Amino acid sequence: MDKDSYRDEQLVELYDSDNAARDDHGYYRTLADTVEANKILDFGCGTGLLTRALATPGRVVIGVDPSATMLGYARRQRGAEAVTWIDGDATAVEGAGDVDLVVSSGNTMMHLSPEAYPSVLTSLAEARAWAHWNRSETYTEREIPSGHLREWLEVTEVNHGRVVFDAHNVFQDGREAVYTSVLYFRTAEEITTDLERAGFVDIHVHGGWSNESVAKDSSTLVFQAKKP
Ligand SMILES: C[S@@+](CC[C@H](N)C(=O)[O-])C[C@H]1O[C@@H](n2cnc3c(N)ncnc32)[C@H](O)[C@@H]1O
């Protein structure tokens, strides 16, 4: 669809005043409190009425929307500074990293065509292992034959499942060796489709090495397939 069907400033203002008091806002606020969400993504946030209401102290709240007019309006409102606003659609969601709760209110999901819908759901559900690849969460120290080693990971670039990261290794003598790597993350559905296209049959996918079912936070995908 048109990325900015809400492109008229006055209509956007009218939308905002017409939607100021909606029953669903209370529902989402309670949900966020109940699941103790510290990081929330509001997908298709529009003028940010709900997004700003979710932004309580200590919480990270991110609003994503492809309409420049809607998002421009959202950015100018009181309390907007408590939210991180991202221009874009589902392809921009990975820039938000891992979140505790995704909300999508006011018919946003009904704006998605049948063709776009499955991949949007996948983007929202995708486990993002790389979201934790930063110095503080990956830092370790250990002994290796040449002495003491300090090591950590740092992501430098994320783009549509393409993740670039540096693996830092500081050896006993203080020398730091950095190994830069590029990984392409694909969903179970994407890999299954690719295997089918390549002619494989009898495809089974598991979420771990003990035949676990695939869950939305599975960090390992194990495939078995037969060549006919
Ligand atoms: C009816 S408004 C709802 C706004 C807000 N969530 C609310 O509850 O007030 C629908 C929003 O969906 C956004 N939208 C349309 N297509 C989208 C897409 N492909 N991905 C994300 N958002 C989209 C529009 O820009 C618009 O801001």
Side-chain angles (χ1 to χ4, degrees):
M1 80 164 248
D2 183 347
K3 293 270 180 216
D4 199 354
S5 52
Y6 292 86
R7 68 171 67 81
D8 186 289
E9 296 282 352
Q10 220 171 347
L11 284 182
V12 166
E13 206 175 313
L14 183 63
Y15 176 90
D16 193 72
S17 67
D18 281 349
N19 287 271
R22 273 200 343 230
D23 292 344
D24 62 332
H25 291 180
Y27 168 86
Y28 288 114
R29 282 205 305 270
T30 306
L31 176 67
D33 291 343
T34 308
V35 302
E36 297 179 7
N38 291 321
K39 188 170 175 189
I40 303 174
L41 172 74
D42 185 358
F43 180 68
C45 63
T47 60
L49 280 164
L50 172 64
T51 335
R52 283 179 284 117
L54 290 169
T56 55
R59 214 183 239 167
V60 174
V61 179
I62 301 152
V64 174
D65 201 287
S67 161
T69 324
M70 286 291 227
L71 217 58
Y73 183 92
R75 284 189 169 106
R76 292 193 296 275
Q77 303 313 300
R78 193 201 297 228
E81 63 288 347
V83 174
T84 302
W85 306 100
I86 299 181
D87 293 83
D89 54 18
T91 56
V93 160
E94 66 184 20
D98 239 356
V99 299
D100 304 316
L101 175 68
V102 178
V103 298
S104 188
S105 65
N107 302 341
T108 293
M109 297 305 279
M110 294 167 76
H111 283 262
L112 305 172
S113 68
E115 297 74 40
Y117 188 59
S119 71
V120 170
L121 288 183
T122 304
S123 301
L124 295 177
E126 215 172 68
R128 298 178 183 86
W130 64 82
H132 302 283
W133 294 354
N134 53 64
R135 184 181 161 123
S136 62
E137 289 184 87
T138 58
Y139 185 89
T140 53
E141 298 191 20
R142 63 190 167 108
E143 299 306 321
I144 57 171
S146 65
H148 195 69
L149 175 73
R150 296 188 293 126
E151 55 190 347
W152 67 92
L153 302 177
E154 199 81 68
V155 169
T156 55
E157 207 183 309
V158 179
N159 190 6
H160 294 95
R162 179 181 182 273
V163 178
V164 186
F165 67 99
D166 291 335
H168 295 260
N169 298 267
V170 183
F171 295 98
Q172 171 111 23
D173 60 5
R175 190 178 81 81
E176 180 171 356
V178 180
Y179 165 71
T180 300
S181 192
V182 182
L183 293 181
Y184 294 87
F185 282 73
R186 297 180 179 97
T187 63
E189 293 77 16
E190 284 170 331
I191 297 170
T192 303
T193 306
D194 290 343
L195 287 169
E196 282 167 353
R197 281 204 190 117
F200 287 97
V201 293
D202 210 2
I203 301 165
H204 297 279
V205 53
H206 291 106
W209 302 112
S210 307
N211 289 346
E212 298 93 329
S213 301
V214 177
K216 73 180 172 62
D217 56 352
S218 299
S219 58
T220 301
L221 294 175
V222 182
F223 285 85
Q224 279 181 11
K226 284 187 187 154
K227 190 85 183 153

